[in-house]
Amino acid sequence: MNETSEDRADALFHALSDRTRRDILRRVLAGEHSVTALAASYDMSFAAVQKHVAVLERAGLLTKRRNGREQLASGDVEAIRSVASMLDELEDVWRGRIGRIDALLTQED
């Protein structure tokens, strides 16, 4: 991974590290929601929900568009796939290490 992809990974995993942001993401992946409707679902201020949405947007996990006075948010499935791809890479590294440990243990017998 280069610096840019590492920065992107940091932004993605930071955005996903918060329970509220993961819930918001689940909602907008299921369908477009106004930020106002999202805010009504949480026991926090509208501004706090807006900040969570902004973190998800900066990470590229959702996009917003304006429809009159409303801001509508929708999830980006491709961004989710990129997160899954990063996790697959890490799993491959882990499985390789397990395989090498198994080989070493087999050699000792």
Side-chain angles (χ1 to χ4, degrees):
M1 283 189 164
N2 61 33
E3 186 69 28
T4 303
S5 61
E6 287 291 334
D7 291 342
R8 173 130 170 88
D10 288 348
L12 287 168
F13 288 108
H14 168 71
L16 293 170
S17 70
D18 182 85
R19 178 181 306 181
T20 301
R21 288 194 290 267
R22 289 191 305 272
D23 190 62
I24 289 169
L25 185 58
R26 277 190 284 277
R27 290 171 190 262
V28 298
L29 283 168
E32 190 173 59
H33 287 72
S34 72
V35 176
T36 303
L38 289 169
S41 302
Y42 301 99
D43 188 25
M44 62 181 69
S45 70
F46 177 78
V49 172
Q50 272 186 312
K51 287 180 182 180
H52 283 301
V53 168
V55 170
L56 290 165
E57 185 178 27
R58 277 192 305 274
L61 291 165
L62 67 73
T63 57
K64 286 190 313 193
R65 69 177 182 89
R66 191 166 283 286
N67 183 23
R69 295 179 60 128
E70 286 187 312
Q71 290 186 51
L72 301 173
S74 57
D76 186 336
V77 175
E78 285 304 313
I80 299 302
R81 286 187 181 125
S82 72
V83 171
S85 175
M86 287 178 208
L87 291 172
D88 287 343
E89 285 178 32
L90 293 172
E91 183 179 2
D92 289 344
V93 169
W94 176 75
R95 287 189 183 281
R97 287 184 177 179
I98 295 297
R100 287 191 300 275
I101 290 170
D102 285 345
L104 286 171
L105 292 173
T106 303
Q107 284 178 348
E108 291 180 10
D109 290 341

